[in-house]
Amino acid sequence: MNDGMESPTPASAISSADEVRKLRDELDKAGKKLVFTNGCFDLLHAGHVRYLAQARALGDALVIALNSDQSVRELKGPSRPVNTEEDRAEILKGLRSVDAVCVFTEPRVTRLIEQIKPHIYAKGGDYTIASLNPEERAALDFVGAEIEILSLVPGRSTTKTLQRIAAGEVESTDAPRKMRIGVLGSGTGSNFEAILGAINDGSLQAEIACVISDRDDSGIITAARKAGLPAFFVNPGSNAKRFPDSAQKEVCEHLQRANVDVVVLAGFMRIVRDPVLTEFKDRIINVHPSLLPKFKGSDAVQRAIDEGELETGTTIHLVTAAVDDGRILAQARVPIEIGDTAEVVHERIKKEEHKLLPQVLREWREK
Ligand code: GRF
């Protein structure tokens, strides 16, 4: 017997095609527009929420055509969906941007488009108008729907979230979250090894979330792969002087996907620009082999020797748009002896960097 304390079973959040068609006709009469989009919407994330808000803003009401459980299984594999169609519909219906949810069981959403006759069809930016399914495209043209491709929020995806959970990357909420470091480098990777060493010996509570290099044969990328870390080569293109916009974007997406807290440029021989600078503002540090502000730019060690300096060193600083110019976080000095080559001095500098860099990261984490 129901004692009145149990939560009532909610009425189904799923609307029939006829109900949505009625809504469409009412809107039409009032000179308003129905927006239609479709998808699996399995584990809802911020990317979905923002996408649906954008879709809703295209018209006056939004209907979602939701893939049935069976069709999600066919598309994504036997372990999906995580949530049933009833639950997915209920969650979606709870969003302010969503007016109705219909479920479709066929592989294509063609029939629902024909039944509902939406005014506007919205699709995520992983599609182009040309790459829409021809059958669905024909149905949209037939009902006279406007097609709008919306940009997706980078780095958010149900599949990626599930992969992170499966890889044990998502920690339980009672464990303190480890600082996630993204390391960019072009060279041997000894500074990367120093960070990894400090993590492994327990002196730095952090994890290396990704390693990115502009050279697929660099020591850093080989070492990262050997350590079983996510390591990415980003093709710099043919111009040795310029790291193109597409590569900057790719770097940014890797860092975002890896959910990085701090970015370390450890011998990255490229100038980092937007979108990375804006996205990780005040969270990018560089290791430079001189006592800044002296000897900014390349060949810093050789130039210090050529200038007859008796000492040089290393500087760890924040990265801004101006090269080797951001706020200094730490420095260490090393002597230059008579007859020293740049290689000898650089090795001396690196020994200091290997202590200083983990130290700066420790302080960063504490802050
Ligand atoms: C470091 O000396 C750093 O100061 C400079 O590049 C070098 C990188 O060395 N920017 P490694 O690849 O970490 O061994």
Side-chain angles (χ1 to χ4, degrees), residues 8-319:
T9 311
S12 174
I14 301 172
S15 304
S16 68
D18 286 346
E19 284 165 337
V20 180
R21 176 58 189 268
K22 230 172 112 197
L23 168 69
R24 179 260 178 220
D25 289 344
E26 281 162 15
L27 288 165
D28 196 62
K29 251 190 245 153
K32 292 184 172 173
K33 294 195 167 175
L34 177 71
V35 186
F36 177 110
T37 192
N38 61 288
C40 302
F41 298 96
D42 193 0
L43 279 186
L44 216 62
H45 52 71
H48 287 137
V49 176
R50 283 185 231 167
Y51 167 79
L52 293 171
Q54 280 184 62
R56 169 67 179 76
L58 295 170
D60 301 286
L62 174 67
V63 57
I64 297 177
L66 189 65
N67 287 77
S68 68
D69 290 347
Q70 177 59 30
S71 81
V72 177
R73 259 191 298 281
E74 277 162 24
L75 283 169
K76 311 268 180 189
S79 58
R80 301 281 299 277
V82 175
N83 289 309
T84 63
E85 61 199 38
E86 280 289 346
D87 281 9
R88 287 181 286 127
E90 190 178 337
I91 294 164
L92 286 168
K93 194 73 197 303
L95 296 178
R96 229 191 346 232
S97 53
V98 178
D99 296 275
V101 180
C102 278
V103 171
F104 66 104
T105 46
E106 309 87 348
R108 301 273 156 233
V109 77
T110 323
R111 214 155 61 88
L112 267 188
I113 295 171
E114 287 166 355
Q115 285 172 298
I116 294 173
K117 290 194 184 346
H119 300 97
I120 299 164
Y121 175 81
K123 194 77 190 159
D126 44 353
Y127 283 84
T128 61
I129 293 196
S131 72
L132 290 178
N133 172 268
E135 191 188 301
E136 289 171 0
R137 175 72 205 276
L140 290 165
D141 288 345
F142 181 71
V143 302
E146 235 173 81
I147 303 174
E148 293 280 353
I149 306 290
L150 299 175
S151 58
L152 287 181
V153 181
R156 311 295 208 292
S157 115
T158 300
T159 305
K160 278 264 146 33
T161 306
L162 290 171
Q163 282 166 353
R164 287 185 52 218
I165 294 169
E169 285 177 34
V170 177
E171 291 140 29
S172 70
T173 43
D174 48 358
R177 187 179 177 281
K178 286 185 189 160
M179 177 169 81
R180 295 176 67 79
I181 305 173
V183 187
L184 274 66
S186 313
T188 55
S190 66
N191 278 289
F192 153 76
E193 301 263 21
I195 302 172
L196 190 60
I199 291 173
N200 289 342
D201 72 19
S203 62
L204 176 62
Q205 298 300 311
E207 60 191 311
I208 297 183
C210 75
V211 174
I212 301 171
S213 183
D214 58 328
R215 293 188 44 191
D216 57 359
D217 59 349
S218 59
I220 187 169
I221 208 161
T222 311
R225 287 190 179 131
K226 217 167 135 198
L229 294 168
F232 306 100
F233 162 62
V234 172
N235 195 329
S238 52
N239 185 342
K241 291 239 160 69
R242 195 171 164 79
F243 198 49
D245 289 351
S246 55
Q248 303 276 353
K249 190 166 168 270
E250 203 181 324
V251 166
C252 192
E253 285 169 1
H254 282 309
L255 294 170
Q256 286 172 318
R257 269 196 288 269
N259 207 5
V260 156
D261 299 307
V262 56
V263 181
V264 178
L265 307 185
F268 190 57
M269 303 307 283
R270 303 278 176 171
I271 293 176
V272 173
R273 292 181 282 111
D274 269 341
V276 184
L277 285 186
T278 304
E279 188 63 32
F280 294 91
K281 189 171 183 298
D282 295 331
R283 291 193 287 147
I284 311 172
I285 64 178
N286 183 38
V287 190
H288 182 73
S290 81
L291 294 172
L292 289 174
K294 281 184 171 177
F295 308 112
K296 294 179 181 179
S298 52
D299 295 325
V301 182
Q302 186 62 57
R303 284 190 287 132
I305 296 172
D306 294 347
E307 293 282 321
E309 298 282 329
L310 297 177
E311 65 170 10
T312 184
T314 181
T315 303
I316 299 178
H317 65 96
L318 287 180
V319 174

